[in-house]
Amino acid sequence: MALSKLLGALAAATVLSSAAFAAGYPERQITMVVPFSAGGPTDTVARLVAEKMSADLGQQVIIENVGGAGGTLGAGRVAKAEPDGYTVLLHHIGMATSATLYRKLAYDTLNAFEYVGLVTEVPMVMVAKKDFPAADFKAFAEYVKANPDKVTMANAGIGAASHLCGMLFQSAIQTQFVTVPYKGTGPAMTDLLGGQVDFMCDQTTNTTSQIKGGTIKAYASTTPERLAIFPDLPTATESGVPALNVSIWHGIYAPKGTPAEATERLSKALQVALADPGIAKAMGDLGTAPSAAADATPAALKAKLESEVAKWKPVIEAAGVYAD
Ligand code: ASP
């Protein structure tokens, strides 16, 4: 009897504290960790969304860039953060690929996080420095295959989207070229513009203005259909490399143990942000679109991460690419 009374009191206290939490949350600013450098494509998406989420939450969502090790340093930081609803992670497909690419990760991908929702899916484009000696994607692929020890490909480290695209490209044309890792493709773009690296595969959220400005060359998109913003740019598939078909989905996570009241509140703010016409316009100009409200939910992101870990595992194992 005494025990059941105690359990009842404990249950009531839990309900009370989570209700009190829900009513007051958020009471201060929220940190959104971006696991890549400032100025790159993941950062661009995060800043767009954070600004609109801040308005709905009534508290600032500030960005903290924790680049390095293909996004796994930033993800690790959030996995170990206090699960209080005040630290979240905006990461992309690399959350799924790094689960297999890394023999040792500081966190257990499928068990270290709570989910907020999907944000957007961003196409990629294979781009090269302005004077790269190839007129189209076919000639580009042939040149890379013929000169693997001469050309260099920038990426954001093992586990990055740019790494995944490069890995698929290497497998498709059966060669191994030199890759140059950065903490994000923002700084990699600076070096591409300066000609210090030769080519890169990156999200349209980072490549669009440079392609439009003619400061880099675009060879192909990684999408099944041509991009509306670049109708003259062929897809890799129509250029004879169907394996280069990848779209970079982004999601928001919280450390395991974050109260559901917080992740649900954040998910609602995400849905409000993604429904904002300003976001649709800004994303549209960068070749992407906000996720639908039904996908900006914890359940949709959980399902996506689980299916993507399973999808990429055999591809990575077949390519035999690993990091320690
Ligand atoms: N685009 C990068 C990647 O390859 C990340 C970034 O800098 O946002 O994953």
Side-chain angles (χ1 to χ4, degrees):
M1 185 65 182
L3 180 65
S4 72
K5 255 192 175 168
L6 181 67
L7 289 176
L10 272 175
T14 309
V15 169
L16 194 74
S17 69
S18 67
F21 178 90
Y25 177 82
E27 289 175 324
R28 54 188 164 89
Q29 76 177 28
I30 294 170
T31 299
M32 179 179 279
V33 172
V34 170
F36 298 103
S37 312
T42 315
D43 182 68
T44 297
V45 167
R47 283 175 201 272
L48 279 173
V49 167
E51 189 198 329
K52 302 290 180 194
M53 285 178 73
S54 301
D56 186 63
L57 292 164
Q59 293 288 346
Q60 284 300 309
V61 178
I62 58 148
I63 304 296
E64 184 183 345
N65 298 91
V66 184
T72 61
L73 290 185
R77 160 84 71 95
V78 175
K80 290 184 175 43
E82 201 58 47
D84 56 6
Y86 291 96
T87 305
V88 296
L89 170 73
L90 190 146
H91 199 352
H92 60 36
I93 192 169
M95 189 77 157
T97 55
S98 51
T100 305
L101 284 165
Y102 283 78
R103 291 188 212 270
K104 280 182 252 145
L105 267 186
Y107 53 92
D108 173 0
T109 303
L110 293 175
N111 293 301
F113 300 95
E114 306 291 347
Y115 304 89
V116 174
L118 283 156
V119 177
T120 179
E121 284 212 8
V122 186
M124 300 192 99
V125 177
M126 187 68 85
V127 292
K129 62 184 184 183
K130 203 174 164 209
D131 57 356
F132 196 88
D136 58 21
F137 185 75
K138 192 166 172 290
F140 166 75
E142 280 167 6
Y143 186 91
V144 170
K145 192 171 164 64
N147 299 281
D149 43 3
K150 241 170 82 181
V151 295
T152 51
M153 182 187 202
N155 69 28
I158 297 180
S162 45
H163 169 267
L164 175 65
C165 183
M167 188 189 86
L168 297 174
F169 185 49
Q170 294 206 130
S171 302
I173 65 168
Q174 300 200 325
T175 193
Q176 295 251 315
F177 39 74
V178 177
T179 55
V180 185
Y182 292 80
K183 284 189 176 173
T185 47
M189 178 60 82
T190 306
D191 277 7
L192 190 70
L193 291 166
Q196 284 90 0
V197 279
D198 294 321
F199 68 100
M200 151 164 103
C201 181
D202 202 18
Q203 288 108 300
T204 54
T205 31
N206 198 36
T207 56
T208 300
S209 61
Q210 283 83 356
I211 296 171
K212 288 197 165 153
T215 50
I216 54 174
K217 266 185 182 171
Y219 285 118
S221 70
T222 64
T223 41
E225 309 290 335
R226 288 190 180 204
L227 300 175
I229 47 163
F230 296 121
D232 298 332
L233 183 69
T235 66
T237 302
E238 70 184 90
S239 309
V241 185
L244 216 53
N245 189 341
V246 62
S247 146
I248 308 307
W249 54 273
H250 295 60
I252 299 177
Y253 305 82
K256 191 78 182 175
T258 301
E261 289 80 4
T263 52
E264 292 292 347
R265 179 68 189 92
L266 291 166
S267 171
K268 193 197 140 252
L270 176 63
Q271 290 166 23
V272 170
L274 296 178
D276 187 293
I279 284 242
K281 167 83 173 80
M283 286 193 177
D285 288 347
L286 294 173
T288 182
S291 294
D295 291 328
T297 59
L301 177 58
K302 182 175 191 292
K304 181 73 172 178
L305 180 67
E306 286 170 358
S307 74
E308 289 275 301
V309 169
K311 171 182 165 176
W312 292 106
K313 191 171 190 284
V315 179
I316 292 161
E317 285 171 351
V321 186
Y322 296 101
D324 288 316

